[in-house]
Amino acid sequence: MVQGMKERKRAILALADGTVFEGYSLGAEGEVSGEVVFNTSMTGYQEILTDPSYRGQIVTMTYTQQGNYGLNPEDIESWRPWVEGFVVKEPSLYPSNWRYLKGGETLDEYLGRNGIVGICGIDTRALTRHIRESGAMPGVISTVDDVAENLVEKARSIPGLLGRDLVREVTCTEPYTWDEGLWNIEGGYGTGRAGVRHRVVAYDFGIKRNILRNLFSAGCDVTVVPADTPAEKVLEMDPDGIFLSNGPGDPEPVSYAQESIRKLMGRKPIFGICLGHQLLALALGAKSFKLKFGHRGGNQPVKDLTTGRVEITAQNHGFAIDMDSMKGVARLTHVNLNDNTVEGMEVREKRLFSVQYHPEAAPGPHDSSYLFERFVKMMEG
Amino acid sequence: MPKRTDIRRILLIGSGPIVIGQACEFDYSGTQACKALKEDGYEVVLVNSNPATIMTDPDFADRTYVEPITPEMVERIIERERPDALLPTMGGQTALNVSVALAERGVLERHGVELIGASIEAIKKAEDREQFRQAMWKIGLEVPGSGVARTLDEANELVKRFNYPVILRPSFTLGGTGGGIAYNREEFEELVRHGLDASPTSEVLIEESVIGWKEYELEVMRDKLDNVVIICSIENLDPMGVHTGDSITVAPAQTLTDKEYQLMRDAALRIIREIGVDTGGSNIQFSVNPRNGRMYVIEMNPRVSRSSALASKATGFPIAKIAAKLAVGYTLDEIPNDITRKTPACFEPTIDYVVTKIPRFAFEKFPKADPTLTTQMKSVGEVMSIGRTFKESLHKALRSLETGSSGFERVVLQRSRVGTLHAPTDVEKDAILSWLKTPRAERIYYIAEAMRAGIDVAKIHELTGIDPWFLNNIKEIVDLEARIVEASASGGLSSELLRNAKEWGFSYEMLSALTGDDVEVLVKRGSEAGIEPVYKCVDTCAAEFEAYTPYLYSTYERPFYNITTGRSRRAECESAPTGNRKVIILGSGPNRIGQGIEFDYCCVHASFALREEGFESIMVNCNPETVSTDYDTSDRLYFEPLTFEDVMAIVERERPYGVIVQLGGQTPLKLSVPLERAGVRILGTPPDSIDIAEDRERFDGLLDRLGLKRPESGIARSIDEAVSVAGGIGYPVMVRPSYVLGGRAMEIVYDEPSLIGYMSRAVEASPEHPVLIDRFLEGAAEVDVDCISDGGVVVIGGIMEHIEEAGVHSGDSACSLPPYSLGADVLDEIRRQTRELARELGVVGLMNVQFAIKDGTVYILEVNPRASRTIPFVSKAIGRPLAKLATKLMVGRTLEELGVTEEAKPSYISVKEAVFPFIKFPGVDTLLGPEMKSTGEVMGIGMDFGRAFAKAQIAAGNTLPLEGCVFISVRDEDKAAVEGVARELKEMGFSILATKGTARYLTQRGIEAEMVYKVIEGMRPHVVDRIKSNEISMVINTSFGAKSVEDSYSIRRTSVEMGIPYFTTIAGAHAATCAIKAIKKEGLAVRTLQEYHAGEAALPGTG
């Protein structure tokens, strides 16, 4: 029909609770399923699409105009997009940005080329409110089946995220090293740095490249290893510090990682982000739980309990660490001001700390990038 | 960290009169600050000379000084009040400049007043161009190549290093006064001279041009723990080169990748920290090279600003309120987000819609002004609209403007009979292209037109510099328009096409124009297809948390359904109307000349009154600068265009008890008849009475019935008819189109050729509307009366005698309440006639009547059965909230119940003076006439006329001289009258300079006067030379007839540019003399409004 002045096929988004949104096809045609969540970032759709933490999820963007600046070869957080499906109000057919002009694609082109099924033209605000009230839930986007009942049935039959190990689906298969630094307007991603001070082994549970870029620019020589790399093997590499990355889904079933972490704790300084933080907490004996609809966006206020200052943070998680279960296990260092959930912890004696949010941003504010410096300091003793 | 307990009394400075660059956004911020500080138990002392503000209502601050905002007067207030702290960041540049002056004079230190919100160092670092540049370099940010010059030579030396064009900005001015773009050496030198004059510090910044770069703004807040948040990003549609106040702007930023946006955000954080704004909000402007993303910092305002008002309305985050709380010691995480309640104010709002602001201009009032948009702001108001997409939001903004636009009207090309466009001719194409090259108010329409003419987006981008993203969105609108036209020509719109059009913001009126179908038919078709507007919440958080404040905007969304609960396909609407008794108040739309903040004031009062009367108040308005569009002013706020379609949709959703149309000026009034026809209850005075007052023939019938007089008049529909009517009445005559606002296109013509000239212009302007011709009562005294009525009892609110004689628009004339020269019998007659009119018209609410008094006879000039521009002034002068009372009457109360049965007769004098934008429009004559030109007003209160008038003049920026030389040149008819003025001035020690005739006249009567040449006489130095060389401190100049007016133009213009007070009427000159005498004799004392109202002002040594 006429949405976006382009003939688009019809598409349907059906949720497991029977809610059905009829809209138009965006990107690839076909049928996909996943947990339907929303993200409130107004910029950064390309980074979101390529963030491995979205494995298993259909992402709804709450901001209505998506694809405005196109997709460019630089703003990627991994080697491919990971979202299962993408939901937007209006995709731009005419991106405009100097970076797009350097070999970019439109949102439709990019999703199409990567086989990502999307839907547009629906009331994304109504969908967001529905998720807020009823919680994140399984859903199906289809451009091939137009019988809503079938799609709802399919949505009901797909497994939830609870208890599923999605890390295996996104982690690398072989170790690799990293040699790219942070981005700037003049030169893109830098490769130069002041000098290597520390060797870091980074567990890849679905790592975002901007974490690696931050570590690189902070003077770390990083080797990325698969999620199931045993602790012994890591210790053999004799790193100065160990990094636990972000990743998708529920931390609980990722027991092999918890086990490795338990063996590494106290031996080397450890810094964890997001899923890495949750795995570290579980390794310490805390408990995790699933949030109703998670935190996804770039405006979440987090208070640093040590300094009393507030950071505006980028977040993307559907699970969190239970505050009560942390008592006696680790010291609470950061808390979310919106809902008072755990955002950070540390065990000084064991030289380990972690945060639930994303100091590497991409997308999102840079308020918390100091944490990479803190990690470096910790490695310096 | 809790609030400070070591300060108790806080002085808040407002921004004074509405001028271009400083409008009612500062009433909004000041009102929020007042409320926020009082809520925390602080005692608020307020100074603001603008009576039309809500903040100066006696209920808002504890002690309210309606006094001139000058360092001298504020010092007196400080001496009297001994505040602990001064909050300088809420009153725009005016408050900031006065605060700096007070600090520099040692006043603050002397009285132990602490500056809160921003330190002097921070203010200077941000405002002083050179210091700011140094600061940016220090933190590694780029600014355009630039330098500061204090002389023309310095400027010429500096400019050698840059390429033209270069931008000039004088230091410490508002709205970029005196700034501009120079494309060559000649223009450069002219602008430097102008800029050095305009800058209070005689400094002008010369900058390498970034014309054509993209322009962005970030609204930043910081607390004392150094928590910093960005409230909103704004992207300008118009690129650099057009002042941001004159640009179409959009929130959030649309075309920055996250990487670029975050670098801009990082820069903003570094800037606010380096400049050292400890607490509160700042606005930072950036420009970005569209070719490579290179970013320059343009400027920073270390205070709340026009953009912060916009950002507050755009996001729902109340910047001024939070800034006030931060200034008294709270931190962001301690302040709750009012909208979500459960989350703190310490976060960054995220939005799920697009906000578009379009400025509103008034070039039609100043035909000689250059309408090119530059770095000097020229707009007088703005509208904001909210839509789910840019296309919808832009469309809504266009129809909010109140310019008669209902979308992208054609401006060059004509539609042929069958609805399709003919191929554009070369002439048409050239016309369009030339419009694209120069930024002007209507350029957006020419962009669409260019697309219709087949000019491609790349070409339009090249000519306008507007980002292709915006252009392509307009292109999508134009393409859809073509499809609509095509579809309607071949069988009609499908409901899918209609839905698409509504989703993209097309109004039914525009669709009707495109399809030829009646609006009603289209509405019916839409509603049958289930295409109806829904309302969504502005909630600061894109629906992540529940919103508790019903701040709503309309949109069209697709339905969704649940298969387990049946297929009820409805789009989700969040308006959730209550079952309460409720009243809708229609606001006044964008500020423009003739309809400004005064009407917003009335609407806000209506809202307060309704709450007091137990009604739910629902506000509809689209002006982001106002208090009425604050989310907590009314129970519910619809941020919507004030068109019939948009209003009716709200009425249908809310089903109110009634709608109030008489408080928002012409905008809602226009809707009263259509709304009534649609079955909506209009509260108060019946719409038919409005029609009687507006319809000449019905009005004449009314006057005949009552035996009241009006100047002889007639109606003309052609030039010949006009000539014969005017001949019968006798010249001079006053001519005007029949339905006007603010004296639009109204003129006094003295002879037949001028009449023919006027008719050929005016009749062409509005063919279907006849022209009214009235006898012009030359030299008559003019009087404005506001009254209030419950349908039975009529109580006079106030009688205001104009200082200027008839012929000057009432909005431009200074006036005095009570009258200063009229006798008791005349006043009683005016009261009697007012009462008769109100009763006859069945007024329930407010009514304004304008009278002229000539030779003891009272004539009625105009009757407006609605709130007038003077309501706030009168309310403050008499100590009664007239708009609030009127609202209560509209919902059924009587004046007796409200205890208002007698006219209030204050013991003090209140003078209102108008404020003009002439300084912004070079080349425009400053002579006043029947067409309104003022943007704002001030009030002066004193125990006698002289002191009240003196205060009003000082507040309006006319610094009355206490010594020096007065230039006098008057027409023969005024010579006798000016004698007394000249004598008084002489006695007070002034010397007098006069043109030949006036000098001779005065000298003959024993008043020594030095003769000076007129410009026209060709001898030097003439009077303009003498003004320019600063030898003259006041000008009195009356003129008559076209030639004399032209001759004296340069005198008036030079006076404006030199900031010398000038009076173009004898009455004005006389009042000024009176005022100078009062200042010299007793000086000016300050008193609070509360003291005046309580009758406590007349204490020893009072003013």
Side-chain angles (χ1 to χ4, degrees):
Chain A
M1 294 311 273
V2 287
Q3 180 65 230
M5 297 310 292
K6 185 181 153 184
E7 298 303 317
R8 286 184 185 274
K9 272 194 79 164
R10 285 207 167 266
I12 294 177
L13 167 67
L15 304 183
D17 72 350
T19 310
V20 176
F21 291 82
E22 292 177 0
Y24 298 94
S25 164
L26 165 72
E29 290 177 16
E31 190 170 297
V32 290
S33 61
E35 181 185 60
V36 183
V37 296
F38 64 85
N39 185 305
T40 63
S41 301
M42 291 185 286
T43 53
Y45 50 85
Q46 185 169 2
E47 291 90 335
I48 290 166
L49 288 167
T50 54
D51 179 349
S53 298
Y54 285 105
R55 178 72 178 175
Q57 291 175 329
I58 291 174
V59 178
T60 308
M61 299 303 288
T62 59
Y63 183 56
T64 47
Q65 307 264 210
Q66 295 292 327
N68 293 0
Y69 50 79
L71 289 98
N72 62 57
E74 283 183 328
D75 294 351
I76 51 171
E77 284 304 308
S78 68
W79 61 282
R80 55 164 276 198
W82 289 99
V83 302
E84 302 296 336
F86 205 47
V87 184
V88 309
K89 165 78 179 161
E90 183 176 284
S92 180
L93 298 179
Y94 309 98
S96 174
N97 187 280
W98 60 282
R99 303 181 64 211
Y100 164 73
L101 295 176
K102 296 180 176 174
E105 291 165 281
T106 66
L107 187 56
D108 269 298
E109 287 164 354
Y110 178 85
L111 295 177
R113 180 170 61 82
N114 288 286
I116 306 286
V117 175
I119 182 170
C120 63
I122 69 161
D123 187 348
T124 46
R125 183 174 167 88
L127 173 59
T128 301
R129 279 162 50 91
H130 187 67
I131 296 170
R132 179 187 85 204
E133 297 302 320
S134 308
M137 66 182 86
V140 172
I141 304 176
S142 180
T143 65
V144 290
D145 187 346
D146 61 359
V147 183
E149 285 77 3
N150 294 348
L151 297 173
V152 169
E153 222 27 69
K154 285 177 203 168
R156 282 178 181 153
S157 68
I158 64 168
L161 294 187
L162 216 58
R164 256 172 84 192
D165 175 12
L166 291 169
V167 169
R168 284 191 191 280
E169 299 173 24
V170 298
T171 185
C172 59
T173 48
E174 294 297 325
Y176 60 94
T177 56
W178 187 258
D179 55 5
E180 185 180 271
L182 290 168
W183 186 86
N184 65 57
I185 284 178
E186 290 78 26
Y189 294 115
T191 48
R193 53 181 165 179
V196 183
R197 289 171 290 170
H198 303 286
R199 282 184 303 128
V200 171
V201 167
Y203 267 100
D204 175 12
F205 305 123
I207 198 162
K208 280 171 69 187
R209 288 187 180 171
N210 224 45
I211 291 175
L212 298 172
R213 295 177 193 124
N214 267 287
L215 289 169
F216 179 88
S217 290
C220 300
D221 206 346
V222 189
T223 303
V224 184
V225 298
D228 59 359
T229 309
E232 297 73 17
K233 211 162 168 190
V234 170
L235 289 170
E236 267 169 32
M237 295 163 83
D238 193 25
D240 299 313
I242 291 159
F243 177 79
L244 308 175
S245 88
N246 65 298
D250 187 352
E252 179 111 30
V254 196
S255 50
Y256 49 93
Q258 294 165 30
E259 201 172 307
S260 305
I261 294 165
R262 258 191 297 273
K263 288 180 187 158
L264 293 167
M265 288 188 315
R267 310 279 300 264
K268 298 283 179 191
I270 298 178
F271 174 28
I273 287 179
C274 198
L275 185 71
H277 151 83
Q278 294 166 1
L279 291 169
L280 185 58
L282 294 184
L284 284 163
K287 296 261 178 298
S288 66
F289 70 101
K290 192 170 190 305
L291 294 162
K292 188 171 182 189
F293 55 87
H295 298 165
R296 291 175 192 85
N299 69 343
Q300 298 270 335
V302 168
K303 189 166 192 165
D304 182 336
L305 298 175
T306 324
T307 62
R309 282 179 55 175
V310 181
E311 299 152 32
I312 302 301
T313 68
Q315 302 209 1
N316 170 21
H317 59 109
F319 291 81
I321 294 304
D322 178 69
M323 179 118 29
D324 292 337
S325 75
M326 268 181 50
K327 289 198 179 102
V329 168
R331 193 175 75 89
L332 179 69
T333 58
H334 294 80
V335 66
N336 188 306
L337 290 181
N338 285 342
D339 62 1
N340 284 309
T341 53
V342 175
E343 290 288 356
M345 59 167 198
E346 67 174 2
V347 182
R348 269 192 204 161
E349 345 34 294
K350 293 192 172 132
R351 291 196 297 163
L352 54 88
F353 73 104
S354 60
V355 288
Q356 178 63 71
Y357 53 94
H358 289 265
E360 82 283 5
H366 299 158
D367 290 10
S368 319
S369 56
Y370 69 92
L371 289 170
F372 293 98
E373 288 300 329
R374 185 178 288 181
F375 182 42
V376 165
K377 283 220 177 74
M378 188 181 264
M379 288 188 282
E380 280 162 1
Chain B
M1 216 155 288
K3 69 177 186 198
R4 288 176 62 171
T5 50
D6 59 329
I7 50 176
R8 202 175 58 80
R9 181 179 286 196
I10 299 172
L11 175 63
L12 184 65
I13 303 180
S15 68
I18 304 297
V19 293
I20 289 177
Q22 208 164 268
C24 54
E25 63 268 20
F26 297 110
D27 185 28
Y28 164 62
S29 54
T31 301
Q32 272 199 351
C34 255
K35 282 200 290 195
L37 295 175
K38 278 186 74 169
E39 198 178 277
D40 274 313
Y42 294 100
E43 201 182 330
V44 179
V45 177
L46 169 74
V47 54
N48 192 355
S49 55
N50 186 345
T53 51
I54 288 292
M55 57 153 62
T56 54
D57 260 10
D59 299 345
F60 275 79
D62 293 282
R63 296 172 65 76
T64 310
Y65 286 89
V66 178
E67 300 284 3
I69 309 172
T70 61
E72 296 75 22
M73 298 302 275
V74 179
E75 179 172 1
R76 266 169 232 179
I77 293 167
I78 290 174
E79 279 167 1
R80 199 161 181 252
E81 295 288 344
R82 302 299 173 119
D84 303 306
L86 165 59
L87 182 55
T89 51
M90 298 294 165
Q93 201 64 38
T94 301
L96 220 47
N97 287 354
V98 164
S99 303
V100 169
L102 289 168
E104 282 177 345
R105 292 175 186 203
V107 175
L108 301 184
E109 201 182 351
R110 203 156 51 240
H111 297 287
V113 183
E114 183 189 340
L115 214 50
I116 54 174
S119 65
I120 286 297
E121 295 69 38
I123 295 171
K124 286 193 165 167
K125 218 167 171 180
E127 298 267 316
D128 182 292
R129 306 283 175 187
E130 187 56 28
Q131 282 194 44
F132 184 68
R133 215 156 51 98
Q134 300 290 348
M136 292 306 99
W137 282 342
K138 192 180 147 204
I139 54 174
L141 295 173
E142 286 191 284
V143 291
S146 69
V148 171
R150 282 160 204 87
T151 64
L152 185 57
D153 288 344
E154 274 181 34
N156 279 327
E157 193 51 40
L158 200 61
V159 82
K160 284 181 188 158
R161 292 190 278 130
F162 311 142
N163 293 322
Y164 284 102
V166 293
I167 296 181
L168 288 100
R169 297 170 198 267
S171 296
F172 285 99
T173 62
L174 51 96
T177 300
I181 303 162
Y183 290 89
N184 56 48
R185 175 75 179 255
E186 193 191 338
E187 285 178 3
F188 176 73
E189 291 197 354
E190 193 191 321
L191 281 169
V192 169
R193 274 193 215 101
H194 195 63
L196 290 173
D197 280 356
S199 165
T201 52
S202 282
E203 285 178 345
V204 58
L205 177 89
I206 300 162
E207 275 183 352
E208 190 185 321
S209 166
V210 283
I211 289 175
W213 287 29
K214 306 205 314 178
E215 188 168 355
Y216 293 91
E217 287 177 77
L218 294 184
E219 292 301 319
V220 194
M221 296 208 83
R222 184 185 189 208
D223 70 18
K224 67 175 181 194
L225 281 183
D226 194 27
N227 295 316
V228 185
V229 292
I230 307 290
I231 304 307
C232 188
S233 64
I234 300 174
E235 179 163 346
N236 289 14
L237 181 140
D238 295 291
M240 292 294 294
V242 176
H243 190 280
T244 183
D246 285 353
S247 296
I248 296 177
T249 65
V250 175
Q254 300 293 338
T255 62
L256 289 177
T257 59
D258 184 68
K259 296 238 183 305
E260 294 168 286
Y261 173 71
Q262 297 304 339
L263 290 181
M264 194 176 278
R265 184 183 179 279
D266 291 347
L269 268 55
R270 285 210 297 264
I271 293 166
I272 197 167
R273 286 175 176 141
E274 174 59 29
I275 296 301
V277 176
D278 298 329
T279 66
S282 291
N283 155 266
I284 306 176
Q285 289 170 32
F286 297 91
S287 75
V288 170
N289 187 330
R291 284 170 293 281
N292 54 23
R294 188 168 173 182
M295 180 176 78
Y296 279 174
V297 182
I298 301 302
E299 65 168 44
M300 178 215 211
N301 289 309
R303 54 172 171 85
V304 302
S305 63
R306 178 177 48 257
S307 294
S308 56
L310 182 72
S312 299
K313 303 292 165 72
T315 59
F317 187 101
I319 294 176
K321 173 184 175 170
I322 305 288
K325 299 255 182 202
L326 299 182
V328 294
Y330 286 106
T331 53
L332 282 162
D333 54 314
E334 291 172 331
I335 306 168
N337 177 341
D338 290 341
I339 289 187
T340 61
R341 292 190 193 159
K342 292 185 183 107
T343 59
C346 192
F347 79 119
E348 298 194 347
T350 185
I351 65 183
D352 57 0
Y353 45 82
V354 180
V355 172
T356 304
K357 173 213 89 177
I358 305 187
R360 168 70 198 246
F361 297 89
F363 290 116
E364 73 276 8
K365 296 277 183 184
F366 306 97
K368 289 196 178 135
D370 178 6
T372 306
L373 305 182
T374 64
T375 55
Q376 173 175 305
M377 185 170 161
K378 292 176 177 171
S379 61
V380 294
E382 63 190 32
V383 296
M384 180 185 110
S385 72
I386 310 175
R388 288 277 283 163
T389 60
F390 171 64
K391 290 180 276 279
E392 183 182 38
S393 157
L394 178 64
H395 256 140
K396 286 175 79 176
L398 287 177
R399 65 175 187 269
S400 298
L401 275 173
E402 291 285 317
T403 51
S405 176
S406 57
F408 282 97
E409 275 87 13
R410 290 185 173 77
V411 281
V412 177
L413 306 173
Q414 298 298 319
R415 201 143 61 94
S416 70
R417 269 179 305 111
V418 286
T420 49
L421 289 170
H422 68 80
T425 63
D426 287 348
V427 176
E428 287 172 336
K429 267 199 175 173
D430 286 349
I432 294 169
L433 290 174
S434 81
W435 264 92
L436 295 183
K437 280 176 210 150
T438 315
R440 272 175 287 205
E442 303 83 4
R443 184 164 71 173
I444 192 87
Y445 295 98
Y446 287 84
I447 289 169
E449 196 77 329
M451 291 164 176
R452 292 186 194 112
I455 298 166
D456 66 21
V457 165
K459 180 73 181 171
I460 299 171
H461 169 63
E462 181 196 320
L463 292 172
T464 61
I466 296 173
D467 192 282
W469 189 83
F470 294 112
L471 295 177
N472 275 308
N473 270 278
I474 299 171
K475 180 74 166 44
E476 289 184 308
I477 289 173
V478 171
D479 288 347
L480 187 63
E481 174 189 292
R483 286 182 63 152
I484 292 164
V485 171
E486 202 180 298
S488 80
S490 59
L493 262 58
S494 66
S495 50
E496 188 57 32
L497 193 58
L498 183 59
R499 178 183 289 281
N500 201 160
K502 293 307 286 177
E503 281 178 341
W504 285 5
F506 280 82
S507 64
Y508 275 118
E509 203 178 319
M510 180 48 79
L511 290 174
S512 165
L514 293 173
T515 59
D517 295 336
D518 283 348
V519 168
E520 296 72 29
V521 172
L522 291 165
V523 172
K524 192 157 166 277
R525 199 178 303 162
S527 130
E528 278 164 10
I531 304 165
E532 273 169 344
V534 292
Y535 296 89
K536 303 280 181 188
C537 250
V538 170
D539 62 5
T540 73
C541 62
E544 183 171 4
F545 305 100
E546 191 175 350
Y548 291 90
T549 45
Y551 169 8
L552 302 153
Y553 67 95
S554 72
T555 187
Y556 285 80
E557 278 289 0
R558 306 227 163 193
F560 63 100
Y561 56 93
N562 190 299
I563 58 162
T564 50
T565 56
R567 297 203 173 200
S568 77
R569 291 167 182 261
R570 292 204 81 121
E572 181 168 275
C573 182
E574 297 171 33
S575 66
T578 65
N580 302 336
R581 283 204 307 172
K582 52 181 112 159
V583 169
I584 291 180
I585 306 156
L586 300 183
S588 63
N591 280 7
R592 58 269 207 195
I593 291 174
Q595 188 167 311
I597 182 177
E598 302 82 4
F599 296 103
D600 197 66
Y601 167 95
C602 290
C603 292
V604 169
H605 270 262
S607 180
F608 296 157
L610 288 170
R611 282 190 185 184
E612 286 175 15
E613 292 297 307
F615 283 85
E616 183 178 295
S617 62
I618 301 172
M619 184 72 67
V620 185
N621 201 3
C622 54
N623 182 344
E625 306 175 319
T626 57
V627 177
S628 70
T629 52
D630 195 354
Y631 63 80
D632 67 357
T633 293
S634 301
D635 292 315
R636 299 166 77 77
L637 167 65
Y638 285 87
F639 210 107
E640 288 285 285
L642 288 154
T643 70
F644 178 73
E645 176 185 341
D646 297 285
V647 170
M648 207 51 214
I650 298 166
V651 169
E652 276 167 9
R653 180 74 48 173
E654 288 284 352
R655 308 245 159 238
Y657 166 72
V659 176
I660 294 179
V661 298
Q662 63 164 275
L663 300 178
Q666 205 64 247
T667 299
L669 212 62
K670 275 193 321 213
L671 297 176
S672 59
V673 172
L675 286 174
E676 193 180 46
R677 259 186 227 139
V680 179
R681 181 186 290 126
I682 303 297
L683 297 181
T685 312
D688 189 54
S689 298
I690 295 162
D691 189 62
I692 293 176
E694 301 273 1
D695 182 295
R696 182 55 64 106
E697 280 158 30
R698 297 187 69 190
F699 186 59
D700 282 346
L702 171 82
L703 294 187
D704 284 349
R705 248 189 340 274
L706 297 174
L708 304 179
K709 266 201 197 112
R710 44 175 265 96
E712 293 162 81
S713 68
I715 299 176
R717 289 179 176 82
S718 69
I719 294 179
D720 289 348
E721 211 177 336
V723 168
S724 106
V725 169
I729 293 170
Y731 292 92
V733 290
M734 174 98 78
V735 286
R736 60 178 158 155
S738 56
Y739 217 98
V740 294
L741 174 69
R744 180 80 207 284
M746 199 186 267
E747 268 181 40
I748 296 162
V749 295
Y750 290 90
D751 48 35
E752 201 173 297
S754 325
L755 178 71
I756 294 169
Y758 174 84
M759 285 303 290
S760 41
R761 276 177 284 128
V763 174
E764 190 187 72
S766 58
E768 70 274 24
H769 290 302
V771 167
L772 308 178
I773 302 175
D774 292 327
R775 177 180 160 212
F776 174 55
L777 301 168
E778 202 163 26
E782 231 175 271
V783 167
D784 251 83
V785 180
D786 283 314
C787 73
I788 183 166
S789 170
D790 56 12
V793 178
V794 182
V795 175
I796 302 292
I799 304 180
M800 292 151 275
E801 182 179 352
H802 293 196
I803 309 296
E804 284 80 11
E805 302 90 343
V808 171
H809 189 279
S810 68
D812 284 355
S813 182
C815 68
S816 168
L817 189 164
Y820 61 100
S821 81
L822 298 172
D825 49 341
V826 170
L827 294 178
D828 281 342
E829 177 59 17
I830 286 172
R831 288 186 181 104
R832 186 188 70 80
Q833 296 197 4
T834 304
R835 283 195 200 97
E836 296 263 324
L837 283 164
R839 280 200 201 101
E840 190 66 22
L841 285 169
V843 169
V844 177
L846 297 166
M847 182 181 80
N848 168 271
V849 190
Q850 285 168 36
F851 295 97
I853 295 95
K854 188 166 165 105
D855 307 326
T857 307
V858 175
Y859 296 90
I860 291 169
L861 298 180
E862 212 177 304
V863 176
N864 292 302
R866 58 169 170 93
S868 72
R869 183 177 309 114
T870 42
I871 288 298
F873 167 75
V874 174
S875 298
K876 267 153 214 179
I878 64 170
R880 277 180 188 165
L882 291 177
K884 206 172 186 177
L885 295 169
T887 305
K888 295 187 176 185
L889 301 180
M890 286 184 244
V891 293
R893 299 275 242 152
T894 64
L895 282 164
E896 201 181 325
E897 282 172 0
L898 300 174
V900 179
T901 47
E902 292 297 322
E903 177 180 346
K905 294 191 174 155
S907 57
Y908 44 87
I909 309 282
S910 300
V911 169
K912 186 204 85 173
E913 178 60 289
V915 175
F916 300 91
F918 297 126
I919 192 76
K920 306 278 180 178
F921 298 120
V924 166
D925 196 351
T926 61
L927 197 64
L928 303 181
E931 169 122 21
M932 184 169 163
K933 290 175 175 165
S934 59
T935 52
E937 69 202 60
V938 291
M939 179 175 186
I941 314 174
M943 294 314 293
D944 58 44
F945 176 75
R947 281 179 287 180
F949 188 78
K951 282 183 178 177
Q953 292 303 311
I954 297 168
N958 306 324
T959 321
L960 295 173
L962 298 182
E963 56 186 20
C965 175
V966 178
F967 168 73
I968 305 180
S969 173
V970 296
R971 57 185 186 160
D972 289 344
E973 294 87 332
D974 291 332
K975 289 209 163 73
V978 88
E979 184 188 332
V981 170
R983 200 177 297 281
E984 288 229 36
L985 287 168
K986 202 77 197 179
E987 276 165 15
M988 288 190 284
F990 286 90
S991 60
I992 291 173
L993 202 61
T995 49
K996 207 177 347 172
T998 308
R1000 195 185 312 124
Y1001 186 91
L1002 293 175
T1003 312
Q1004 279 166 1
R1005 279 151 190 83
I1007 305 165
E1008 192 193 328
E1010 187 194 335
M1011 209 274 282
V1012 63
Y1013 295 115
K1014 290 181 181 174
V1015 179
I1016 203 173
E1017 288 169 335
M1019 304 282 282
R1020 309 291 289 261
H1022 50 56
V1023 55
V1024 171
D1025 294 328
R1026 305 281 295 259
I1027 297 175
K1028 281 187 174 160
S1029 51
N1030 259 326
E1031 292 171 42
I1032 292 173
S1033 47
M1034 186 163 100
V1035 171
I1036 298 170
N1037 177 217
T1038 67
S1039 48
F1040 174 78
K1043 189 161 169 293
S1044 155
V1045 165
E1046 200 182 305
D1047 184 41
S1048 51
Y1049 160 74
S1050 56
I1051 297 175
R1052 290 187 294 274
R1053 193 67 227 177
T1054 312
S1055 302
V1056 165
E1057 275 155 26
M1058 299 290 295
I1060 296 168
Y1062 66 99
F1063 296 90
T1064 56
T1065 61
I1066 293 295
H1070 183 76
T1073 310
C1074 227
I1076 292 170
K1077 203 156 118 191
I1079 303 175
K1080 284 180 86 107
K1081 203 167 132 210
E1082 313 173 58
L1084 299 172
V1086 292
R1087 284 294 176 272
T1088 66
L1089 209 50
Q1090 289 85 355
E1091 287 168 301
Y1092 280 117
H1093 291 170
E1096 292 164 358
L1099 300 168
T1102 56

